[in-house]
């Protein structure tokens, strides 16, 4: 089945006359031939049912769970995406739903795809999205004392504020240079003088004075060539 046919098939399977259940829509991702996928958007309340329909051998037969993650859409909440694959028919589908920032919760797919367990645990840890009915929703990668969700766009990376960024030098800088342009902070990282362990202790960067341009040396007038030089 082509990505277009996969998307149309799942939309047909999820069709309902009840407007309160929301609309299911489909599109095709980029990537070109062999890489494009059907992308099916479903309401969060129908997330589990869409995965069940995709797994059904009489429908799409997506028997393999590939991966699951999320995207922080800021005021739009979080997009949760799962990629399902059919090992027999060799086609896949990207299931996508949207959860609110105030109540980021979606149904777990572990009972349909046991391989989703670790993916949901990581997404819960990194984005703070709860997966209802997950049998063991606990931290997977971070230490127990860690606070916050690092993949949210409003999460401040303290290390970027507390110490200099260890990247390449600014253009034109050298080890022996006496002046240095103020480094540009990465997006979302606050001024270290306003947040962090050095709050109120960082002096504003000095603007180096531009050296005066010296006078150009006067070039002697060009002497005309003699007849011997031109012959």
């Amino acid at each position: 089945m082509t990505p277009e046919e996969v998307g149309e098939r799942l939309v047909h399977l999820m069709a309902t006359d009840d407007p309160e259940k929301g609309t299911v829509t489909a599109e095709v991702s980029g990537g070109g031939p062999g890489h494009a996928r059907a992308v099916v958007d479903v309401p969060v309340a129908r997330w589990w049912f869409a995965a069940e329909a995709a797994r059904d051998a009489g429908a799409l037969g997506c028997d393999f769970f590939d991966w699951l993650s999320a995207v922080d859409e800021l005021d739009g909440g979080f997009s949760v995406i799962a990629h399902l694959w059919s090992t027999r028919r060799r086609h896949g589908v990207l299931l996508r739903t949207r959860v609110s920032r105030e109540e980021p919760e979606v149904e777990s797919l572990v009972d349909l795809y046991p391989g989703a367990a670790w993916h949901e645990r990581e997404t819960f840890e990194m984005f703070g999205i709860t997966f209802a009915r997950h049998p063991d929703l606990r931290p997977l990668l971070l230490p127990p004392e860690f606070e916050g969700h690092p993949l949210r766009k409003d999460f401040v990376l303290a290390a970027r504020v507390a110490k200099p960024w260890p990247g390449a030098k600014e253009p034109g800088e050298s080890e022996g240079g006496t002046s240095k342009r103020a480094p540009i902070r990465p997006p979302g990282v606050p001024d270290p003088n306003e947040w962090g362990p050095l709050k109120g202790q960082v002096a504003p960067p000095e603007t180096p004075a531009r050296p005066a341009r010296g006078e150009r040396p006067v070039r002697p007038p060009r002497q005309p060539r003699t007849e011997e030089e031109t012959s």
Side-chain angles (χ1 to χ4, degrees), residues 52-92:
E52 182 187 38
R55 192 190 66 161
D56 190 334
L60 295 180
C62 292
D63 55 336
F64 177 73
F65 179 90
D66 192 4
W67 56 265
L68 178 146
S69 190
V71 178
D72 188 346
E73 307 287 0
L74 296 176
D75 293 341
F78 300 94
S79 292
V80 180
I81 309 102
H83 183 233
L84 311 177
W85 180 255
S86 173
T87 58
R88 183 170 63 89
R89 303 179 187 177
R90 311 300 295 174
H91 61 232

Side-chain angles (χ1 to χ4, degrees), residues 45-128:
R46 307 185 69 191
W47 171 254
W48 186 92
F49 298 100
E52 182 187 38
R55 192 190 66 161
D56 190 334
L60 295 180
C62 292
D63 55 336
F64 177 73
F65 179 90
D66 192 4
W67 56 265
L68 178 146
S69 190
V71 178
D72 188 346
E73 307 287 0
L74 296 176
D75 293 341
F78 300 94
S79 292
V80 180
I81 309 102
H83 183 233
L84 311 177
W85 180 255
S86 173
T87 58
R88 183 170 63 89
R89 303 179 187 177
R90 311 300 295 174
H91 61 232
V93 60
L94 283 162
L95 282 185
R96 184 169 61 187
T97 192
R98 185 71 64 91
V99 298
S100 69
R101 204 169 193 85
E102 295 73 24
E103 297 181 5
E105 182 173 337
V106 65
E107 197 81 4
S108 173
L109 302 181
V110 171
D111 55 347
L112 294 174
Y113 298 99
W118 283 19
H119 297 255
E120 292 180 350
R121 285 175 59 188
E122 181 185 28
T123 305
F124 164 70
E125 185 174 39
M126 295 296 174
F127 291 93

Side-chain angles (χ1 to χ4, degrees), residues 149-195:
H149 307 289
L151 292 187
R152 288 193 175 193
K153 292 180 180 178
D154 57 2
F155 182 83
V156 176
L157 297 175
R160 303 280 290 268
V161 178
K163 53 187 176 183
W165 179 244
K169 292 183 176 295
E170 297 279 358
E173 289 181 9
S174 63
E175 293 291 343
T178 56
S179 63
K180 181 178 180 180
R181 187 173 67 183
I184 300 175
R185 292 192 305 275
V189 176
D191 189 331
N193 202 35
E194 300 175 356
W195 185 93

